[in-house]
Amino acid sequence: MLTGVRTVFVGGDARQIEVIRKCAEMDASVMIAGFEKLQDSFQGVTREPLTPELLSGADALILPVVGCDDEGRVSALFSEGALRLQEEHIAAMPGHGVIYTGMAKPYLRSLCDKYKIKLVEILERDDVAIYNSIPTAEGALMMAIQNTDFTIHGSTSMVLGMGRTGFTMARSLQGLGAKIRMGVRRSEHYARAEEMGWKPFMIRDLGSYVTDIDLLFNTIPTMIVTAQIISKMPREAVIIDLASAPGGCDFRYAEKRGIKAMLAPGLPGIVAPKTAGIIMANTLVELISEEIKMRGDA
């Protein structure tokens, strides 16, 4: 239980609704800012404006998956106006307070460092990233089906990056009967891809493997699908970039060449917000509970 724990939610999308509900059910004291347009009347939850006073007694500040941009703007789907997390807000937090978010930009990291506020990035955890890879893969498959006139079964589908999302993506494509080419950067990933029945290749040789593909799914957040690579791809191919913005594809050149290329970060919150929210909620409750226990043992 989170009885007596003062949790403040600032902004977010439909995923945050599940997290708010879970914290309220666990008997936390829950305050939310940036949810004016949300019709849901949570039991035991109070709505407040974002002020330093709101955060002055917060044990936990919960931000959206991407906490805020480098100017402090917080994504807030249900807010009636712009929401901005400023230095005065972080400065007002108590020393024992913890900020939880999916991933943090340098702006938020630097403020937390300056005021010695603990920052927890939930998506850095393997378990959360693996669970999130499931709705990500499902959303990517949906996009592929909507934007092609051929079946995934029998297609030549390339996945770049054999991390948590890339592995789930390739396995999902394989389950639908696609022929998988897996771009990797490490020898152990090459071996695992071969064991899985995929056709592995080293990323440095990417240009040699794209000449006849139907679908390309990128999970690497650096410019890897360059104009030079795109120039070798069939015009009918479709690129779905799952890396965090700005992605790893030259979208300008893809459009110029007539190749359909889409940046699709944050798919869990789009295609399965309830499931993604439950994943975040369970992890957050566990982390806050651990924090309380550590504070009590100190």
Side-chain angles (χ1 to χ4, degrees), residues 120-135 164-165 168 275-276 278-284 286-287 290:
V120 177
E121 297 180 67
I122 296 175
L123 289 184
E124 291 295 310
R125 290 174 54 115
D126 278 338
D127 55 350
V128 174
I130 291 168
Y131 284 132
N132 262 330
S133 73
I134 299 168
R164 295 159 301 197
T165 298
T168 301
T275 297
I278 290 170
I279 292 167
M280 300 290 282
N282 291 338
T283 302
L284 187 66
E286 178 187 336
L287 289 170
E290 289 174 359

Side-chain angles (χ1 to χ4, degrees), residues 181-237:
R181 291 181 188 172
M182 172 60 78
V184 301
R185 291 183 285 191
R186 291 159 52 181
S187 58
E188 60 267 34
H189 286 172
Y190 190 102
R192 176 59 70 188
E194 199 160 51
E195 184 271 332
M196 289 294 296
W198 307 332
K199 184 176 181 180
F201 64 90
M202 301 307 289
I203 290 291
R204 62 176 176 267
D205 300 322
L206 176 59
S208 302
Y209 289 86
V210 296
T211 56
D212 60 347
I213 61 171
D214 300 304
L215 292 161
L216 188 154
F217 299 86
N218 176 53
T219 69
I220 300 172
T222 56
M223 182 53 69
I224 188 167
V225 188
T226 62
Q228 184 180 13
I229 297 298
I230 294 170
S231 69
K232 298 179 180 180
M233 294 175 61
R235 290 183 184 274
E236 302 76 21

Side-chain angles (χ1 to χ4, degrees), residues 41-282:
S41 55
F42 299 107
Q43 196 72 22
V45 173
T46 59
R47 300 174 190 241
E48 304 279 353
L50 176 57
T51 63
E53 290 73 29
L54 175 64
L55 298 181
S56 62
D59 298 306
L61 168 60
I62 296 105
L63 297 173
V65 171
V66 178
C68 60
D69 66 15
D70 280 326
E71 294 182 354
R73 287 185 293 261
V74 178
S75 173
L77 181 64
F78 304 106
S79 178
E80 290 180 345
L83 209 58
R84 187 163 178 233
L85 191 67
Q86 301 182 65
E87 183 169 352
E88 61 182 0
H89 296 126
I90 304 301
M93 288 189 67
H96 70 268
V98 181
I99 297 177
Y100 298 91
T101 186
M103 61 184 76
K105 298 282 189 180
Y107 172 86
L108 181 58
R109 287 201 190 101
S110 65
L111 285 179
C112 288
D113 287 343
K114 181 175 180 178
Y115 291 100
K116 304 296 188 290
I117 300 296
K118 183 175 179 179
L119 175 66
V120 177
E121 297 180 67
I122 296 175
L123 289 184
E124 291 295 310
R125 290 174 54 115
D126 278 338
D127 55 350
V128 174
I130 291 168
Y131 284 132
N132 262 330
S133 73
I134 299 168
T136 296
E138 288 188 10
L141 290 174
M142 176 188 72
M143 292 179 69
I145 291 167
Q146 290 174 337
N147 288 280
T148 56
D149 58 2
F150 53 84
T151 61
I152 290 176
H153 184 280
S155 70
T156 299
S157 295
M158 176 177 286
V159 178
L160 301 180
M162 198 170 154
R164 295 159 301 197
T165 298
F167 191 93
T168 301
M169 188 74 248
R171 198 166 51 81
S172 299
L173 288 162
Q174 185 180 36
L176 289 174
K179 292 171 283 193
I180 310 300
R181 291 181 188 172
M182 172 60 78
V184 301
R185 291 183 285 191
R186 291 159 52 181
S187 58
E188 60 267 34
H189 286 172
Y190 190 102
R192 176 59 70 188
E194 199 160 51
E195 184 271 332
M196 289 294 296
W198 307 332
K199 184 176 181 180
F201 64 90
M202 301 307 289
I203 290 291
R204 62 176 176 267
D205 300 322
L206 176 59
S208 302
Y209 289 86
V210 296
T211 56
D212 60 347
I213 61 171
D214 300 304
L215 292 161
L216 188 154
F217 299 86
N218 176 53
T219 69
I220 300 172
T222 56
M223 182 53 69
I224 188 167
V225 188
T226 62
Q228 184 180 13
I229 297 298
I230 294 170
S231 69
K232 298 179 180 180
M233 294 175 61
R235 290 183 184 274
E236 302 76 21
V238 172
I239 301 169
I240 299 175
D241 197 332
L242 303 173
S244 56
C249 173
D250 189 334
F251 294 100
R252 182 202 62 81
Y253 183 75
E255 182 179 8
K256 182 177 180 179
R257 191 158 184 272
I259 289 179
K260 194 176 291 185
M262 295 158 282
L263 179 62
L267 280 177
I270 298 169
V271 301
K274 186 176 183 67
T275 297
I278 290 170
I279 292 167
M280 300 290 282
N282 291 338

